[in-house]
Amino acid sequence: MQGRDKWCAKLTSAFLRKWWFVLGCAILLLLAGIFCAIFFMKLVGLYIDHELVLREGSQTFDWWAHPPVRPFVHVYVYNVTNADEFLNNGSKPVLDELGPYVYSEDWEKVNITNNQNGTLSFNYKRTYTFRPDLSTGLDDDAVVVPNIPMLSATSQSKHAARFLRLAMASIMDILKIKPFVEVSVGQLLWGYEDPLLKLAKDVVPKEQKLPYEEFGLFYGKNGTSSDVVTMFTGATGMSKYGIINRYNMRDKLQHWTTDECNSIAGSDGSIFPPHITKNQTLAVYDKDLCRLLPLRFLKEVTIGGIQAYRFTPPDDVFANNEHNKCFCPAGPPCSPDGLFNVSLCQYDSPIMLSFPHFYLADPKLREAVEGISPPDAEKHRLFIDVQPEMGIAMRARARIQINLAVSQVIDIKQVANFPDIVFPILWFEEGIDELPEQVTSLLRLATQVPPIARNSLSYGLSALGILLILLAVTCLIRSSHRQSTLRLEGHVVAKPPPAKTPSKDSNGYELNSRR
Ligand SMILES: *[C@@H]1O[C@H](CO)[C@@H](O)[C@H](O)[C@H]1NC(C)=O
Ligand SMILES: *[C@@H]1O[C@H](CO)[C@@H](O)[C@H](O)[C@H]1NC(C)=O
Ligand SMILES: *[C@@H]1O[C@H](CO)[C@@H](O)[C@H](O)[C@H]1NC(C)=O
Ligand SMILES: *[C@@H]1O[C@H](CO)[C@@H](O)[C@H](O)[C@H]1NC(C)=O
Ligand SMILES: *[C@@H]1O[C@H](CO)[C@@H](O)[C@H](O)[C@H]1NC(C)=O
Ligand SMILES: *[C@@H]1O[C@H](CO)[C@@H](O)[C@H](O)[C@H]1NC(C)=O
Ligand SMILES: *[C@@H]1O[C@H](CO)[C@@H](O)[C@H](O)[C@H]1NC(C)=O
């Protein structure tokens, strides 16, 4: 009691005349605390946005141009083990899933030019290196797969004149082209010389020419792409951050029937507009997919202590429904559930994309062949885990299966027994596993420190403010009470009334009264 009185006395002595100053400070602190509680995260968000913008020389820009990630692609090839029986005896094709054949990737963006309107233009440069240590098997393993150039040509000739088909049959006879080829995994991916493409290059009129004489499913992907991509940097607003503006100077595709389906306004999968909510639909554009791929929230995940949202395509993304009608300009009939016809993006070859093991597709497709196990969402689903505040992809698995939709053509004897079938060729999984420590530690800092800082700041400031208010109020009450009791005492004991007004020398009274 005595100590507090002394302290209060000191405080009172120092501040009583300026009690409004203490109270004012206290109220300011309290307001600052409340302000922090409400606006701190907003300010942090603004700061993050500012830092994310792709400005030459910034850390974000360096990471964007030379991502410090180790992406990989796992390839699984369906080796046909009964090619002769399939062709001669009409049995189902028996497939043997081989792999993974793993390639590590090195991503880079080259030829970056700033367009001064909030966009950058650049070329992707991707270098693939085979990793025998991570693979089961070598990339020179021989596999038997459908002859894609040949079956594309025969399937396309279905509606051509009969004599053309007969001519085709004799050319294929001379060139000894068979419906199945035995090639190495490396050749199937990166290219092998195909006699038909070579011929086409010499014969077909210039304007219809295929751009190459080699055939490979990843042909031309190793190295600098010639496609010029224009992407928003965020300088003109974060709502389009990382979104593709133009691809080879075009701002939309030409193949589909509506503007919505022709849109390419998606991310490339590495960065998204920040502040992502769970009910948002993200979009990824990939040239080979030939459309925007919508992604919806699936669940929350934690990666290296950082919270992220897992986004995955909706179950009906490749469904044969009203919404996807725009992707079927030649239909109906359109492709069955779970298949996406990319023939218009693949020089008219009947290539159909699906998810691995026909995940989310009509089960009949999988049952038409033998050797493909039932799909498993965890193994075959495509997903991207994004850090919602910053929109950075922290883990990704782009899983796609490449199929060939073969049409039976009786007039061409080599393929006369090849029935109408969607023939799976291979599936791959491209992605990143985890960001390097230098990036994750920064992400951790940026996502975990602000809430703690906000709480400690707002609670600390508010607590200090309240404490000071209490103290000031207590002291004020105490001193005014003391002064009034003194005055009262003076009356009762009939001491002479104080000469000075209490406000002038409160200290003197305090000291007197204690003695
Ligand atoms: C693929 O299947 C063929 C038989 O059709 C076989 O000779 C070959 O060894 C298989 N390849 C591998 C890598 O198992
Ligand atoms: C085709 O089937 C017949 C009888 O079903 C059998 O004898 C023959 O060996 C089979 N041919 C091949 C290439 O397996
Ligand atoms: C940059 O682009 C030009 C033409 O657009 C091309 O010739 C050159 O090779 C590119 N440079 C790099 C490093 O890719
Ligand atoms: C920005 O400038 C580039 C190059 O001039 C142009 O291709 C692009 O369409 C422009 N983008 C916007 C959003 O204005
Ligand atoms: C890709 O290209 C690089 C160099 O250009 C080469 O070293 C590498 O072997 C190539 N990868 C494949 C899978 O062909
Ligand atoms: C998304 O969720 C927020 C609240 O979490 C809600 O306010 C908003 O209306 C929702 N938007 C849509 C398109 O559902
Ligand atoms: C795929 O699309 C092309 C071009 O629209 C069309 O000609 C072809 O019939 C389609 N294929 C199937 C199997 O629907």
Side-chain angles (χ1 to χ4, degrees):
M1 211 38 199
Q2 193 76 0
R4 215 176 82 196
D5 276 356
K6 236 183 219 161
W7 193 39
C8 210
K10 273 187 194 150
L11 262 177
T12 321
S13 67
F15 284 126
L16 189 65
R17 257 174 284 167
K18 291 183 176 172
W19 61 270
W20 48 267
F21 179 74
V22 181
L23 210 60
C25 284
I27 288 168
L28 272 185
L29 283 175
L30 192 62
L31 285 179
I34 294 168
F35 181 83
C36 268
I38 300 171
F39 294 112
F40 189 78
M41 293 314 278
K42 201 141 210 136
L43 290 176
V44 169
L46 286 177
Y47 178 73
I48 288 178
D49 287 359
H50 179 259
E51 289 299 299
L52 283 178
V53 171
L54 300 171
R55 255 181 248 102
E56 263 141 309
S58 72
Q59 176 78 86
T60 335
F61 183 86
D62 288 346
W63 280 344
W64 171 79
H66 306 275
V69 293
R70 279 264 123 215
F72 56 82
V73 52
H74 289 219
V75 180
Y76 298 83
V77 180
Y78 294 116
N79 189 19
V80 183
T81 58
N82 68 340
D84 288 336
E85 275 172 74
F86 167 69
L87 285 176
N88 300 327
N89 270 11
S91 22
K92 276 189 192 179
V94 177
L95 307 179
D96 181 19
E97 184 181 322
L98 300 175
Y101 297 95
V102 183
Y103 293 84
S104 63
E105 289 178 58
D106 191 44
W107 288 348
E108 227 182 305
K109 293 175 182 90
V110 295
N111 262 355
I112 303 172
T113 46
N114 189 342
N115 298 322
Q116 308 299 343
N117 61 2
T119 64
L120 291 171
S121 296
F122 59 89
N123 301 84
Y124 286 105
K125 181 178 176 191
R126 292 186 169 164
T127 317
Y128 293 79
T129 314
F130 183 64
R131 292 290 299 271
D133 51 325
L134 303 175
S135 309
T136 47
L138 294 173
D139 71 346
D140 52 12
D141 282 354
V143 291
V144 176
V145 290
N147 186 342
I148 298 172
M150 176 207 201
L151 292 166
S152 299
T154 59
S155 297
Q156 277 174 45
S157 75
K158 198 174 173 185
H159 302 294
R162 180 155 188 264
F163 80 88
L164 259 178
R165 290 199 291 274
L166 295 179
M168 211 179 227
S170 28
I171 291 172
M172 286 172 178
D173 222 14
I174 295 163
L175 294 174
K176 296 193 170 45
I177 298 173
K178 302 232 163 58
F180 285 94
V181 286
E182 185 169 340
V183 291
S184 74
V185 172
Q187 284 176 320
L188 176 65
L189 296 176
W190 307 107
Y192 58 92
E193 202 161 281
D194 182 81
L196 208 57
L197 289 184
K198 206 162 178 312
L199 182 77
K201 198 155 191 230
D202 298 335
V203 174
V204 169
K206 211 172 179 183
E207 56 274 16
Q208 287 177 28
K209 247 177 204 171
L210 294 170
Y212 23 77
E213 54 188 85
E214 282 195 55
F215 173 80
L217 290 168
F218 291 177
Y219 184 80
K221 293 216 184 310
N222 188 23
T224 306
S225 152
S226 59
D227 298 320
V228 180
V229 183
T230 305
M231 183 184 272
F232 288 101
T233 62
T236 51
M238 296 310 277
S239 65
K240 289 191 168 175
Y241 178 66
I243 299 292
I244 292 168
N245 175 217
R246 285 171 186 273
Y247 210 95
N248 282 331
M249 300 305 149
R250 288 185 190 278
D251 62 357
K252 55 176 182 292
L253 298 170
Q254 312 285 307
H255 309 305
W256 315 123
T257 58
T258 65
D259 277 350
E260 197 193 337
C261 292
N262 275 323
S263 170
I264 58 166
S267 149
D268 69 352
S270 55
I271 50 175
F272 293 87
H275 315 300
I276 293 164
T277 60
K278 291 181 185 174
N279 56 13
Q280 212 170 326
T281 300
L282 304 180
V284 171
Y285 175 70
D286 185 85
K287 182 191 163 203
D288 294 314
L289 198 56
C290 207
R291 63 170 282 183
L292 274 187
L293 190 69
L295 300 172
R296 302 236 171 89
F297 176 78
L298 179 71
K299 62 178 180 186
E300 282 185 34
V301 291
T302 309
I303 304 162
I306 303 168
Q307 178 223 27
Y309 290 171
R310 176 160 298 180
F311 276 78
T312 190
D315 287 356
D316 63 354
V317 63
F318 295 150
N320 182 5
N321 62 16
E322 201 56 31
H323 193 247
N324 283 334
K325 234 173 139 182
C326 59
F327 294 117
C328 178
C334 298
S335 34
D337 271 353
L339 288 183
F340 187 67
N341 184 347
V342 289
S343 116
L344 290 175
C345 290
Q346 299 290 339
Y347 310 100
D348 290 337
S349 6
I351 302 276
M352 302 278 233
L353 301 183
S354 69
F355 293 117
H357 287 215
F358 294 110
Y359 174 61
L360 298 181
D362 188 337
K364 285 200 196 84
L365 295 168
R366 190 173 57 81
E367 286 154 11
V369 298
E370 261 169 52
I372 299 188
S373 63
D376 171 355
E378 287 313 311
K379 282 193 211 148
H380 303 130
R381 169 197 282 148
L382 180 155
F383 69 83
I384 299 182
D385 294 342
V386 287
Q387 204 292 315
E389 272 318 303
M390 309 209 191
I392 293 177
M394 305 195 58
R395 188 194 279 155
R397 292 281 185 283
R399 293 164 169 161
I400 295 288
Q401 177 169 303
I402 299 175
N403 313 285
L404 188 70
V406 182
S407 304
Q408 189 164 23
V409 182
I410 312 276
D411 294 333
I412 300 178
K413 63 173 191 286
Q414 290 90 340
V415 295
N417 293 331
F418 210 120
D420 283 353
I421 186 173
V422 174
F423 211 111
I425 312 287
L426 61 76
W427 68 274
F428 64 90
E429 166 182 278
E430 186 173 35
I432 46 171
D433 236 339
E434 213 160 304
L435 299 176
E437 188 52 34
Q438 46 165 341
V439 182
T440 44
S441 57
L442 207 71
L443 278 178
R444 215 173 287 135
L445 200 72
T447 55
Q448 292 171 358
V449 172
I452 298 172
R454 178 194 64 174
N455 286 349
S456 23
L457 262 180
S458 54
Y459 288 136
L461 290 176
S462 312
L464 203 64
I466 290 169
L467 205 75
L468 273 185
I469 289 175
L470 285 180
L471 202 67
V473 169
T474 323
C475 290
L476 276 171
I477 291 173
R478 191 170 280 271
S479 65
S480 67
H481 177 70
R482 190 146 309 206
Q483 280 153 27
S484 55
T485 38
L486 275 179
R487 228 175 286 142
L488 206 67
E489 271 170 10
H491 274 288
V492 172
V493 191
K495 273 188 179 169
K500 304 161 197 169
T501 53
S503 67
K504 262 187 183 165
D505 198 352
S506 56
N507 198 17
Y509 274 108
E510 289 270 335
L511 290 174
N512 281 343
S513 71
R514 207 161 285 154
R515 275 178 200 146

